[in-house]
Amino acid sequence: MSYAGDLSPQEAWAKLEDGAILVDVRTEGEWAHIGIPDTNETDNDPLFIQWNLTGGIPNARFVEQLKQQAPEEPGTELVFLCRSGARSIAAAIAATEAGFTSYNVLEGFEGGPDRYGERTVNGWKNRGLPTNLGKH
């Protein structure tokens, strides 16, 4: 594994409570229409940096934007979140290569689809972790 590890949504929340910073790598449309994690109960606000731009175009400035927004303090851990846990793996790898300690949130914000294609099975939102719907 080329990043620090995978975390369940509950383990990710515990990391945030211990001072890690959440990095949501979904698109602006996902943040606006599906919702965002609410980290008000932790010491750090989440960072919002798209891994892919709208239309699926890769964000060529992702690492640059991460370096601009994430603290460079030694020991700072970053926890990456996307819709289902796929883009966040790629982002965690890129961040690790840039020198950050990076984790991936398994299941993502929305989780996997049920047998009807609805994302109601698991994930940050469906496990009852704090969210703000339709905001960013």
Side-chain angles (χ1 to χ4, degrees):
M1 182 176 301
S2 56
Y3 53 97
D6 294 314
L7 304 170
S8 70
Q10 296 87 342
E11 290 168 332
W13 182 256
K15 279 269 186 212
L16 299 180
E17 290 180 319
D18 288 342
I21 297 171
L22 184 70
V23 184
D24 189 328
V25 301
R26 295 174 299 144
T27 64
E28 289 180 355
E30 288 172 297
W31 300 328
H33 300 290
I34 298 166
I36 60 170
D38 179 352
T39 62
N40 285 333
E41 295 176 29
T42 72
D43 291 335
N44 295 304
D45 292 330
L47 304 179
F48 296 94
I49 306 171
Q50 298 177 99
W51 178 252
N52 290 327
L53 305 174
T54 303
I57 300 165
N59 180 2
R61 296 185 57 230
F62 177 81
V63 171
E64 174 188 340
Q65 292 169 344
L66 181 64
K67 287 181 177 180
Q68 290 172 349
Q69 295 182 43
E72 296 183 29
E73 300 164 14
T76 299
E77 297 178 317
L78 302 179
V79 176
F80 289 86
L81 177 73
C82 68
R83 179 182 70 182
S84 62
R87 286 173 284 178
S88 53
I89 290 173
I93 291 169
T96 299
E97 291 172 353
F100 293 97
T101 301
S102 308
Y103 294 88
N104 169 58
V105 180
L106 296 169
E107 304 173 6
F109 186 73
E110 292 182 77
D114 63 16
R115 64 185 181 148
Y116 303 107
E118 301 293 323
R119 293 191 177 271
T120 60
V121 176
N122 53 28
W124 181 283
K125 184 174 67 169
N126 294 317
R127 297 220 182 259
L129 293 171
T131 63
N132 286 320
L133 298 178
K135 296 181 181 179
H136 169 65

PDB file of all heavy atoms in Angstrom, residues 91-130:
ATOM      1  N   ALA A  91      -6.166   9.927  -4.557  1.00  0.00           N
ATOM      2  CA  ALA A  91      -5.752  11.177  -3.917  1.00  0.00           C
ATOM      3  C   ALA A  91      -4.793  10.911  -2.753  1.00  0.00           C
ATOM      4  O   ALA A  91      -3.808  11.637  -2.569  1.00  0.00           O
ATOM      5  CB  ALA A  91      -6.980  11.943  -3.431  1.00  0.00           C
ATOM      6  N   ALA A  92      -5.062   9.877  -1.969  1.00  0.00           N
ATOM      7  CA  ALA A  92      -4.176   9.529  -0.848  1.00  0.00           C
ATOM      8  C   ALA A  92      -2.798   9.121  -1.352  1.00  0.00           C
ATOM      9  O   ALA A  92      -1.778   9.476  -0.748  1.00  0.00           O
ATOM     10  CB  ALA A  92      -4.799   8.415  -0.005  1.00  0.00           C
ATOM     11  N   ILE A  93      -2.749   8.407  -2.456  1.00  0.00           N
ATOM     12  CA  ILE A  93      -1.467   8.013  -3.044  1.00  0.00           C
ATOM     13  C   ILE A  93      -0.703   9.258  -3.498  1.00  0.00           C
ATOM     14  O   ILE A  93       0.483   9.423  -3.196  1.00  0.00           O
ATOM     15  CB  ILE A  93      -1.675   7.019  -4.204  1.00  0.00           C
ATOM     16  CG1 ILE A  93      -2.170   5.683  -3.668  1.00  0.00           C
ATOM     17  CG2 ILE A  93      -0.385   6.846  -5.014  1.00  0.00           C
ATOM     18  CD1 ILE A  93      -2.653   4.716  -4.748  1.00  0.00           C
ATOM     19  N   ALA A  94      -1.386  10.156  -4.225  1.00  0.00           N
ATOM     20  CA  ALA A  94      -0.731  11.374  -4.709  1.00  0.00           C
ATOM     21  C   ALA A  94      -0.245  12.232  -3.542  1.00  0.00           C
ATOM     22  O   ALA A  94       0.857  12.787  -3.581  1.00  0.00           O
ATOM     23  CB  ALA A  94      -1.699  12.173  -5.592  1.00  0.00           C
ATOM     24  N   ALA A  95      -1.043  12.339  -2.490  1.00  0.00           N
ATOM     25  CA  ALA A  95      -0.656  13.136  -1.327  1.00  0.00           C
ATOM     26  C   ALA A  95       0.537  12.514  -0.604  1.00  0.00           C
ATOM     27  O   ALA A  95       1.444  13.222  -0.145  1.00  0.00           O
ATOM     28  CB  ALA A  95      -1.840  13.288  -0.381  1.00  0.00           C
ATOM     29  N   THR A  96       0.535  11.199  -0.505  1.00  0.00           N
ATOM     30  CA  THR A  96       1.668  10.503   0.128  1.00  0.00           C
ATOM     31  C   THR A  96       2.950  10.757  -0.667  1.00  0.00           C
ATOM     32  O   THR A  96       4.000  11.054  -0.089  1.00  0.00           O
ATOM     33  CB  THR A  96       1.380   8.999   0.236  1.00  0.00           C
ATOM     34  OG1 THR A  96       0.227   8.813   1.056  1.00  0.00           O
ATOM     35  CG2 THR A  96       2.558   8.247   0.840  1.00  0.00           C
ATOM     36  N   GLU A  97       2.837  10.681  -1.976  1.00  0.00           N
ATOM     37  CA  GLU A  97       4.004  10.956  -2.829  1.00  0.00           C
ATOM     38  C   GLU A  97       4.487  12.397  -2.674  1.00  0.00           C
ATOM     39  O   GLU A  97       5.667  12.679  -2.884  1.00  0.00           O
ATOM     40  CB  GLU A  97       3.671  10.650  -4.289  1.00  0.00           C
ATOM     41  CG  GLU A  97       3.501   9.166  -4.552  1.00  0.00           C
ATOM     42  CD  GLU A  97       2.980   8.833  -5.936  1.00  0.00           C
ATOM     43  OE1 GLU A  97       2.614   9.760  -6.701  1.00  0.00           O
ATOM     44  OE2 GLU A  97       2.912   7.626  -6.261  1.00  0.00           O
ATOM     45  N   ALA A  98       3.585  13.299  -2.283  1.00  0.00           N
ATOM     46  CA  ALA A  98       3.945  14.705  -2.057  1.00  0.00           C
ATOM     47  C   ALA A  98       4.438  14.950  -0.631  1.00  0.00           C
ATOM     48  O   ALA A  98       4.732  16.086  -0.266  1.00  0.00           O
ATOM     49  CB  ALA A  98       2.748  15.599  -2.363  1.00  0.00           C
ATOM     50  N   GLY A  99       4.493  13.883   0.188  1.00  0.00           N
ATOM     51  CA  GLY A  99       5.058  14.016   1.523  1.00  0.00           C
ATOM     52  C   GLY A  99       4.079  14.050   2.674  1.00  0.00           C
ATOM     53  O   GLY A  99       4.478  14.224   3.826  1.00  0.00           O
ATOM     54  N   PHE A 100       2.790  13.874   2.416  1.00  0.00           N
ATOM     55  CA  PHE A 100       1.781  13.894   3.466  1.00  0.00           C
ATOM     56  C   PHE A 100       1.518  12.483   4.005  1.00  0.00           C
ATOM     57  O   PHE A 100       1.668  11.505   3.283  1.00  0.00           O
ATOM     58  CB  PHE A 100       0.460  14.463   2.937  1.00  0.00           C
ATOM     59  CG  PHE A 100       0.519  15.917   2.578  1.00  0.00           C
ATOM     60  CD1 PHE A 100       0.724  16.313   1.264  1.00  0.00           C
ATOM     61  CD2 PHE A 100       0.373  16.900   3.542  1.00  0.00           C
ATOM     62  CE1 PHE A 100       0.774  17.652   0.915  1.00  0.00           C
ATOM     63  CE2 PHE A 100       0.421  18.237   3.210  1.00  0.00           C
ATOM     64  CZ  PHE A 100       0.626  18.623   1.896  1.00  0.00           C
ATOM     65  N   THR A 101       1.106  12.394   5.271  1.00  0.00           N
ATOM     66  CA  THR A 101       0.614  11.141   5.837  1.00  0.00           C
ATOM     67  C   THR A 101      -0.862  11.067   5.490  1.00  0.00           C
ATOM     68  O   THR A 101      -1.647  11.904   5.942  1.00  0.00           O
ATOM     69  CB  THR A 101       0.822  11.104   7.363  1.00  0.00           C
ATOM     70  OG1 THR A 101       2.211  11.250   7.633  1.00  0.00           O
ATOM     71  CG2 THR A 101       0.312   9.795   7.947  1.00  0.00           C
ATOM     72  N   SER A 102      -1.243  10.088   4.698  1.00  0.00           N
ATOM     73  CA  SER A 102      -2.569  10.075   4.081  1.00  0.00           C
ATOM     74  C   SER A 102      -3.316   8.767   4.303  1.00  0.00           C
ATOM     75  O   SER A 102      -2.742   7.689   4.179  1.00  0.00           O
ATOM     76  CB  SER A 102      -2.418  10.301   2.571  1.00  0.00           C
ATOM     77  OG  SER A 102      -1.639  11.443   2.316  1.00  0.00           O
ATOM     78  N   TYR A 103      -4.610   8.896   4.582  1.00  0.00           N
ATOM     79  CA  TYR A 103      -5.504   7.758   4.773  1.00  0.00           C
ATOM     80  C   TYR A 103      -6.668   7.871   3.795  1.00  0.00           C
ATOM     81  O   TYR A 103      -7.055   8.966   3.396  1.00  0.00           O
ATOM     82  CB  TYR A 103      -6.074   7.735   6.197  1.00  0.00           C
ATOM     83  CG  TYR A 103      -5.031   7.488   7.253  1.00  0.00           C
ATOM     84  CD1 TYR A 103      -4.325   8.548   7.806  1.00  0.00           C
ATOM     85  CD2 TYR A 103      -4.748   6.198   7.693  1.00  0.00           C
ATOM     86  CE1 TYR A 103      -3.357   8.328   8.782  1.00  0.00           C
ATOM     87  CE2 TYR A 103      -3.790   5.966   8.664  1.00  0.00           C
ATOM     88  CZ  TYR A 103      -3.100   7.041   9.200  1.00  0.00           C
ATOM     89  OH  TYR A 103      -2.144   6.819  10.146  1.00  0.00           O
ATOM     90  N   ASN A 104      -7.254   6.746   3.473  1.00  0.00           N
ATOM     91  CA  ASN A 104      -8.439   6.657   2.628  1.00  0.00           C
ATOM     92  C   ASN A 104      -9.626   6.218   3.476  1.00  0.00           C
ATOM     93  O   ASN A 104      -9.501   5.314   4.291  1.00  0.00           O
ATOM     94  CB  ASN A 104      -8.203   5.637   1.507  1.00  0.00           C
ATOM     95  CG  ASN A 104      -9.471   5.307   0.765  1.00  0.00           C
ATOM     96  OD1 ASN A 104     -10.132   6.172   0.219  1.00  0.00           O
ATOM     97  ND2 ASN A 104      -9.830   4.036   0.761  1.00  0.00           N
ATOM     98  N   VAL A 105     -10.788   6.852   3.249  1.00  0.00           N
ATOM     99  CA  VAL A 105     -12.006   6.429   3.930  1.00  0.00           C
ATOM    100  C   VAL A 105     -12.717   5.398   3.061  1.00  0.00           C
ATOM    101  O   VAL A 105     -13.167   5.713   1.960  1.00  0.00           O
ATOM    102  CB  VAL A 105     -12.960   7.615   4.215  1.00  0.00           C
ATOM    103  CG1 VAL A 105     -14.221   7.123   4.915  1.00  0.00           C
ATOM    104  CG2 VAL A 105     -12.264   8.682   5.045  1.00  0.00           C
ATOM    105  N   LEU A 106     -12.767   4.163   3.571  1.00  0.00           N
ATOM    106  CA  LEU A 106     -13.513   3.111   2.887  1.00  0.00           C
ATOM    107  C   LEU A 106     -14.995   3.481   2.844  1.00  0.00           C
ATOM    108  O   LEU A 106     -15.495   4.147   3.739  1.00  0.00           O
ATOM    109  CB  LEU A 106     -13.343   1.782   3.633  1.00  0.00           C
ATOM    110  CG  LEU A 106     -11.935   1.218   3.681  1.00  0.00           C
ATOM    111  CD1 LEU A 106     -11.875   0.053   4.661  1.00  0.00           C
ATOM    112  CD2 LEU A 106     -11.491   0.781   2.293  1.00  0.00           C
ATOM    113  N   GLU A 107     -15.666   3.077   1.828  1.00  0.00           N
ATOM    114  CA  GLU A 107     -17.106   3.291   1.654  1.00  0.00           C
ATOM    115  C   GLU A 107     -17.440   4.694   1.190  1.00  0.00           C
ATOM    116  O   GLU A 107     -18.517   4.933   0.679  1.00  0.00           O
ATOM    117  CB  GLU A 107     -17.915   2.970   2.925  1.00  0.00           C
ATOM    118  CG  GLU A 107     -17.713   1.578   3.453  1.00  0.00           C
ATOM    119  CD  GLU A 107     -18.389   1.345   4.784  1.00  0.00           C
ATOM    120  OE1 GLU A 107     -19.133   2.231   5.278  1.00  0.00           O
ATOM    121  OE2 GLU A 107     -18.178   0.256   5.350  1.00  0.00           O
ATOM    122  N   GLY A 108     -16.564   5.678   1.378  1.00  0.00           N
ATOM    123  CA  GLY A 108     -16.800   7.037   0.923  1.00  0.00           C
ATOM    124  C   GLY A 108     -17.921   7.746   1.650  1.00  0.00           C
ATOM    125  O   GLY A 108     -18.377   7.328   2.714  1.00  0.00           O
ATOM    126  N   PHE A 109     -18.372   8.853   1.069  1.00  0.00           N
ATOM    127  CA  PHE A 109     -19.427   9.662   1.673  1.00  0.00           C
ATOM    128  C   PHE A 109     -20.791   9.007   1.525  1.00  0.00           C
ATOM    129  O   PHE A 109     -21.580   8.970   2.449  1.00  0.00           O
ATOM    130  CB  PHE A 109     -19.447  11.059   1.045  1.00  0.00           C
ATOM    131  CG  PHE A 109     -20.415  12.007   1.695  1.00  0.00           C
ATOM    132  CD1 PHE A 109     -20.144  12.543   2.938  1.00  0.00           C
ATOM    133  CD2 PHE A 109     -21.595  12.375   1.060  1.00  0.00           C
ATOM    134  CE1 PHE A 109     -21.035  13.426   3.554  1.00  0.00           C
ATOM    135  CE2 PHE A 109     -22.481  13.257   1.657  1.00  0.00           C
ATOM    136  CZ  PHE A 109     -22.205  13.775   2.907  1.00  0.00           C
ATOM    137  N   GLU A 110     -21.061   8.483   0.333  1.00  0.00           N
ATOM    138  CA  GLU A 110     -22.382   7.913   0.057  1.00  0.00           C
ATOM    139  C   GLU A 110     -22.454   6.405   0.213  1.00  0.00           C
ATOM    140  O   GLU A 110     -23.533   5.855   0.344  1.00  0.00           O
ATOM    141  CB  GLU A 110     -22.815   8.252  -1.372  1.00  0.00           C
ATOM    142  CG  GLU A 110     -23.101   9.705  -1.600  1.00  0.00           C
ATOM    143  CD  GLU A 110     -23.571   9.928  -3.011  1.00  0.00           C
ATOM    144  OE1 GLU A 110     -24.747   9.614  -3.294  1.00  0.00           O
ATOM    145  OE2 GLU A 110     -22.766  10.408  -3.818  1.00  0.00           O
ATOM    146  N   GLY A 111     -21.331   5.718   0.121  1.00  0.00           N
ATOM    147  CA  GLY A 111     -21.330   4.270   0.231  1.00  0.00           C
ATOM    148  C   GLY A 111     -21.694   3.575  -1.062  1.00  0.00           C
ATOM    149  O   GLY A 111     -21.867   4.193  -2.104  1.00  0.00           O
ATOM    150  N   GLY A 112     -21.819   2.275  -0.974  1.00  0.00           N
ATOM    151  CA  GLY A 112     -22.127   1.461  -2.142  1.00  0.00           C
ATOM    152  C   GLY A 112     -23.616   1.429  -2.443  1.00  0.00           C
ATOM    153  O   GLY A 112     -24.447   1.711  -1.578  1.00  0.00           O
ATOM    154  N   PRO A 113     -23.962   1.062  -3.658  1.00  0.00           N
ATOM    155  CA  PRO A 113     -25.375   0.982  -4.022  1.00  0.00           C
ATOM    156  C   PRO A 113     -26.037  -0.299  -3.506  1.00  0.00           C
ATOM    157  O   PRO A 113     -25.402  -1.338  -3.377  1.00  0.00           O
ATOM    158  CB  PRO A 113     -25.350   0.994  -5.552  1.00  0.00           C
ATOM    159  CG  PRO A 113     -24.006   0.461  -5.909  1.00  0.00           C
ATOM    160  CD  PRO A 113     -23.080   0.841  -4.789  1.00  0.00           C
ATOM    161  N   ASP A 114     -27.322  -0.190  -3.210  1.00  0.00           N
ATOM    162  CA  ASP A 114     -28.087  -1.370  -2.848  1.00  0.00           C
ATOM    163  C   ASP A 114     -28.538  -2.076  -4.134  1.00  0.00           C
ATOM    164  O   ASP A 114     -28.143  -1.686  -5.229  1.00  0.00           O
ATOM    165  CB  ASP A 114     -29.274  -1.002  -1.941  1.00  0.00           C
ATOM    166  CG  ASP A 114     -30.300  -0.090  -2.612  1.00  0.00           C
ATOM    167  OD1 ASP A 114     -30.296   0.050  -3.864  1.00  0.00           O
ATOM    168  OD2 ASP A 114     -31.122   0.498  -1.889  1.00  0.00           O
ATOM    169  N   ARG A 115     -29.379  -3.077  -4.009  1.00  0.00           N
ATOM    170  CA  ARG A 115     -29.782  -3.845  -5.193  1.00  0.00           C
ATOM    171  C   ARG A 115     -30.613  -3.026  -6.182  1.00  0.00           C
ATOM    172  O   ARG A 115     -30.818  -3.433  -7.316  1.00  0.00           O
ATOM    173  CB  ARG A 115     -30.517  -5.114  -4.781  1.00  0.00           C
ATOM    174  CG  ARG A 115     -31.805  -4.877  -4.063  1.00  0.00           C
ATOM    175  CD  ARG A 115     -32.398  -6.188  -3.578  1.00  0.00           C
ATOM    176  NE  ARG A 115     -33.660  -5.917  -2.913  1.00  0.00           N
ATOM    177  CZ  ARG A 115     -34.672  -6.733  -2.903  1.00  0.00           C
ATOM    178  NH1 ARG A 115     -34.575  -7.901  -3.500  1.00  0.00           N
ATOM    179  NH2 ARG A 115     -35.773  -6.423  -2.279  1.00  0.00           N
ATOM    180  N   TYR A 116     -31.103  -1.874  -5.764  1.00  0.00           N
ATOM    181  CA  TYR A 116     -31.876  -0.999  -6.645  1.00  0.00           C
ATOM    182  C   TYR A 116     -31.038   0.145  -7.202  1.00  0.00           C
ATOM    183  O   TYR A 116     -31.542   1.024  -7.894  1.00  0.00           O
ATOM    184  CB  TYR A 116     -33.083  -0.416  -5.895  1.00  0.00           C
ATOM    185  CG  TYR A 116     -33.972  -1.480  -5.323  1.00  0.00           C
ATOM    186  CD1 TYR A 116     -33.991  -1.720  -3.957  1.00  0.00           C
ATOM    187  CD2 TYR A 116     -34.767  -2.276  -6.149  1.00  0.00           C
ATOM    188  CE1 TYR A 116     -34.804  -2.711  -3.424  1.00  0.00           C
ATOM    189  CE2 TYR A 116     -35.575  -3.279  -5.618  1.00  0.00           C
ATOM    190  CZ  TYR A 116     -35.573  -3.486  -4.253  1.00  0.00           C
ATOM    191  OH  TYR A 116     -36.368  -4.472  -3.728  1.00  0.00           O
ATOM    192  N   GLY A 117     -29.742   0.166  -6.850  1.00  0.00           N
ATOM    193  CA  GLY A 117     -28.860   1.223  -7.326  1.00  0.00           C
ATOM    194  C   GLY A 117     -28.829   2.462  -6.446  1.00  0.00           C
ATOM    195  O   GLY A 117     -28.140   3.424  -6.767  1.00  0.00           O
ATOM    196  N   GLU A 118     -29.579   2.448  -5.369  1.00  0.00           N
ATOM    197  CA  GLU A 118     -29.588   3.580  -4.441  1.00  0.00           C
ATOM    198  C   GLU A 118     -28.423   3.448  -3.470  1.00  0.00           C
ATOM    199  O   GLU A 118     -28.133   2.355  -2.985  1.00  0.00           O
ATOM    200  CB  GLU A 118     -30.914   3.624  -3.659  1.00  0.00           C
ATOM    201  CG  GLU A 118     -32.135   3.759  -4.526  1.00  0.00           C
ATOM    202  CD  GLU A 118     -32.204   5.092  -5.243  1.00  0.00           C
ATOM    203  OE1 GLU A 118     -31.804   6.112  -4.638  1.00  0.00           O
ATOM    204  OE2 GLU A 118     -32.646   5.112  -6.402  1.00  0.00           O
ATOM    205  N   ARG A 119     -27.781   4.532  -3.149  1.00  0.00           N
ATOM    206  CA  ARG A 119     -26.634   4.503  -2.234  1.00  0.00           C
ATOM    207  C   ARG A 119     -27.121   4.641  -0.792  1.00  0.00           C
ATOM    208  O   ARG A 119     -27.069   5.702  -0.196  1.00  0.00           O
ATOM    209  CB  ARG A 119     -25.634   5.584  -2.613  1.00  0.00           C
ATOM    210  CG  ARG A 119     -24.999   5.281  -3.951  1.00  0.00           C
ATOM    211  CD  ARG A 119     -23.815   6.151  -4.262  1.00  0.00           C
ATOM    212  NE  ARG A 119     -23.228   5.754  -5.524  1.00  0.00           N
ATOM    213  CZ  ARG A 119     -22.288   4.829  -5.668  1.00  0.00           C
ATOM    214  NH1 ARG A 119     -21.808   4.216  -4.626  1.00  0.00           N
ATOM    215  NH2 ARG A 119     -21.818   4.526  -6.858  1.00  0.00           N
ATOM    216  N   THR A 120     -27.618   3.515  -0.280  1.00  0.00           N
ATOM    217  CA  THR A 120     -28.188   3.487   1.069  1.00  0.00           C
ATOM    218  C   THR A 120     -27.523   2.449   1.969  1.00  0.00           C
ATOM    219  O   THR A 120     -27.949   2.250   3.095  1.00  0.00           O
ATOM    220  CB  THR A 120     -29.694   3.150   0.996  1.00  0.00           C
ATOM    221  OG1 THR A 120     -29.846   1.869   0.382  1.00  0.00           O
ATOM    222  CG2 THR A 120     -30.461   4.202   0.214  1.00  0.00           C
ATOM    223  N   VAL A 121     -26.464   1.792   1.463  1.00  0.00           N
ATOM    224  CA  VAL A 121     -25.908   0.632   2.151  1.00  0.00           C
ATOM    225  C   VAL A 121     -24.943   1.018   3.273  1.00  0.00           C
ATOM    226  O   VAL A 121     -25.021   0.496   4.373  1.00  0.00           O
ATOM    227  CB  VAL A 121     -25.212  -0.299   1.142  1.00  0.00           C
ATOM    228  CG1 VAL A 121     -24.548  -1.470   1.842  1.00  0.00           C
ATOM    229  CG2 VAL A 121     -26.211  -0.788   0.113  1.00  0.00           C
ATOM    230  N   ASN A 122     -24.009   1.888   2.997  1.00  0.00           N
ATOM    231  CA  ASN A 122     -22.970   2.211   3.968  1.00  0.00           C
ATOM    232  C   ASN A 122     -22.411   3.600   3.645  1.00  0.00           C
ATOM    233  O   ASN A 122     -23.053   4.368   2.952  1.00  0.00           O
ATOM    234  CB  ASN A 122     -21.875   1.130   3.968  1.00  0.00           C
ATOM    235  CG  ASN A 122     -21.315   0.851   2.586  1.00  0.00           C
ATOM    236  OD1 ASN A 122     -21.304   1.719   1.719  1.00  0.00           O
ATOM    237  ND2 ASN A 122     -20.854  -0.359   2.358  1.00  0.00           N
ATOM    238  N   GLY A 123     -21.228   3.903   4.121  1.00  0.00           N
ATOM    239  CA  GLY A 123     -20.614   5.197   3.842  1.00  0.00           C
ATOM    240  C   GLY A 123     -20.832   6.185   4.975  1.00  0.00           C
ATOM    241  O   GLY A 123     -21.599   5.950   5.912  1.00  0.00           O
ATOM    242  N   TRP A 124     -20.114   7.279   4.905  1.00  0.00           N
ATOM    243  CA  TRP A 124     -20.135   8.338   5.925  1.00  0.00           C
ATOM    244  C   TRP A 124     -21.564   8.734   6.280  1.00  0.00           C
ATOM    245  O   TRP A 124     -21.981   8.706   7.429  1.00  0.00           O
ATOM    246  CB  TRP A 124     -19.361   9.541   5.385  1.00  0.00           C
ATOM    247  CG  TRP A 124     -19.253  10.714   6.291  1.00  0.00           C
ATOM    248  CD1 TRP A 124     -20.223  11.649   6.554  1.00  0.00           C
ATOM    249  CD2 TRP A 124     -18.121  11.090   7.072  1.00  0.00           C
ATOM    250  NE1 TRP A 124     -19.740  12.584   7.430  1.00  0.00           N
ATOM    251  CE2 TRP A 124     -18.455  12.265   7.764  1.00  0.00           C
ATOM    252  CE3 TRP A 124     -16.852  10.545   7.232  1.00  0.00           C
ATOM    253  CZ2 TRP A 124     -17.563  12.914   8.611  1.00  0.00           C
ATOM    254  CZ3 TRP A 124     -15.963  11.191   8.072  1.00  0.00           C
ATOM    255  CH2 TRP A 124     -16.323  12.359   8.754  1.00  0.00           C
ATOM    256  N   LYS A 125     -22.318   9.130   5.275  1.00  0.00           N
ATOM    257  CA  LYS A 125     -23.679   9.642   5.472  1.00  0.00           C
ATOM    258  C   LYS A 125     -24.602   8.575   6.043  1.00  0.00           C
ATOM    259  O   LYS A 125     -25.347   8.827   6.997  1.00  0.00           O
ATOM    260  CB  LYS A 125     -24.201  10.163   4.126  1.00  0.00           C
ATOM    261  CG  LYS A 125     -25.554  10.802   4.179  1.00  0.00           C
ATOM    262  CD  LYS A 125     -25.925  11.423   2.846  1.00  0.00           C
ATOM    263  CE  LYS A 125     -26.120  10.379   1.789  1.00  0.00           C
ATOM    264  NZ  LYS A 125     -26.724  10.893   0.561  1.00  0.00           N
ATOM    265  N   ASN A 126     -24.566   7.365   5.486  1.00  0.00           N
ATOM    266  CA  ASN A 126     -25.478   6.305   5.901  1.00  0.00           C
ATOM    267  C   ASN A 126     -25.110   5.679   7.233  1.00  0.00           C
ATOM    268  O   ASN A 126     -25.918   4.967   7.822  1.00  0.00           O
ATOM    269  CB  ASN A 126     -25.560   5.232   4.817  1.00  0.00           C
ATOM    270  CG  ASN A 126     -26.191   5.771   3.555  1.00  0.00           C
ATOM    271  OD1 ASN A 126     -27.187   6.484   3.602  1.00  0.00           O
ATOM    272  ND2 ASN A 126     -25.575   5.474   2.423  1.00  0.00           N
ATOM    273  N   ARG A 127     -23.916   5.932   7.716  1.00  0.00           N
ATOM    274  CA  ARG A 127     -23.501   5.439   9.030  1.00  0.00           C
ATOM    275  C   ARG A 127     -23.783   6.468  10.126  1.00  0.00           C
ATOM    276  O   ARG A 127     -23.412   6.283  11.274  1.00  0.00           O
ATOM    277  CB  ARG A 127     -22.033   5.049   9.009  1.00  0.00           C
ATOM    278  CG  ARG A 127     -21.767   3.907   8.038  1.00  0.00           C
ATOM    279  CD  ARG A 127     -20.789   2.926   8.584  1.00  0.00           C
ATOM    280  NE  ARG A 127     -20.504   1.874   7.619  1.00  0.00           N
ATOM    281  CZ  ARG A 127     -21.028   0.669   7.665  1.00  0.00           C
ATOM    282  NH1 ARG A 127     -21.885   0.347   8.602  1.00  0.00           N
ATOM    283  NH2 ARG A 127     -20.702  -0.235   6.768  1.00  0.00           N
ATOM    284  N   GLY A 128     -24.444   7.559   9.744  1.00  0.00           N
ATOM    285  CA  GLY A 128     -24.894   8.544  10.730  1.00  0.00           C
ATOM    286  C   GLY A 128     -23.851   9.540  11.183  1.00  0.00           C
ATOM    287  O   GLY A 128     -24.064  10.238  12.185  1.00  0.00           O
ATOM    288  N   LEU A 129     -22.752   9.662  10.448  1.00  0.00           N
ATOM    289  CA  LEU A 129     -21.759  10.669  10.809  1.00  0.00           C
ATOM    290  C   LEU A 129     -22.274  12.049  10.384  1.00  0.00           C
ATOM    291  O   LEU A 129     -23.103  12.165   9.479  1.00  0.00           O
ATOM    292  CB  LEU A 129     -20.414  10.338  10.171  1.00  0.00           C
ATOM    293  CG  LEU A 129     -19.780   9.061  10.739  1.00  0.00           C
ATOM    294  CD1 LEU A 129     -18.562   8.657   9.929  1.00  0.00           C
ATOM    295  CD2 LEU A 129     -19.414   9.227  12.198  1.00  0.00           C
ATOM    296  N   PRO A 130     -21.788  13.112  11.032  1.00  0.00           N
ATOM    297  CA  PRO A 130     -22.349  14.448  10.785  1.00  0.00           C
ATOM    298  C   PRO A 130     -22.202  14.909   9.332  1.00  0.00           C
ATOM    299  O   PRO A 130     -21.132  14.774   8.733  1.00  0.00           O
ATOM    300  CB  PRO A 130     -21.539  15.343  11.721  1.00  0.00           C
ATOM    301  CG  PRO A 130     -20.952  14.445  12.740  1.00  0.00           C
ATOM    302  CD  PRO A 130     -20.758  13.126  12.070  1.00  0.00           C
TER     303      PRO A 130
END
